[in-house]
Amino acid sequence: MSGEGPIKITDTSEIAICTCMQSNHWPFCDATHHTTGGDGPEIVQLDKSKTYHLCGCFRTKNRPFCDGSHEKIKNLTPK
């Protein structure tokens, strides 16, 4: 997913966020930490009535939420 924009989450009260950085479904935990020896997920509580945007580029400073870092990456990529 590196370099992609945010992942929209709605109608969800809890998510498991990867902390080992080995998940194939980042930012979501896929239990890869069981085989790599990393730490387990961070459980994040959400308000079901709100919409959230999760980082899809690995560069946010507000993990797991998008902070617009993907736009900076796009602007640095030669065309």
Side-chain angles (χ1 to χ4, degrees):
M1 276 192 189
S2 183
E4 293 184 11
I7 301 158
K8 184 177 177 179
I9 299 293
T10 58
D11 195 32
T12 303
S13 60
E14 182 178 275
I15 54 176
I17 298 298
C18 174
T19 60
C20 74
M21 300 304 290
Q22 301 301 314
S23 174
N24 290 317
H25 302 288
W26 199 86
F28 303 103
C29 177
D30 67 0
T32 299
H33 61 276
H34 289 293
T35 56
T36 63
D39 291 333
E42 174 186 348
I43 305 302
V44 177
Q45 302 296 319
L46 303 174
D47 181 336
K48 272 185 97 161
S49 67
K50 294 184 178 180
T51 298
Y52 297 89
H53 293 91
L54 303 181
C55 176
C57 75
F58 295 94
R59 290 179 172 82
T60 184
K61 302 262 189 289
N62 189 26
R63 192 180 66 81
F65 302 103
C66 176
D67 67 1
S69 292
H70 61 279
E71 290 296 329
K72 295 172 193 152
I73 296 165
K74 276 196 266 184
N75 293 335
L76 294 175
T77 305
K79 296 183 180 182

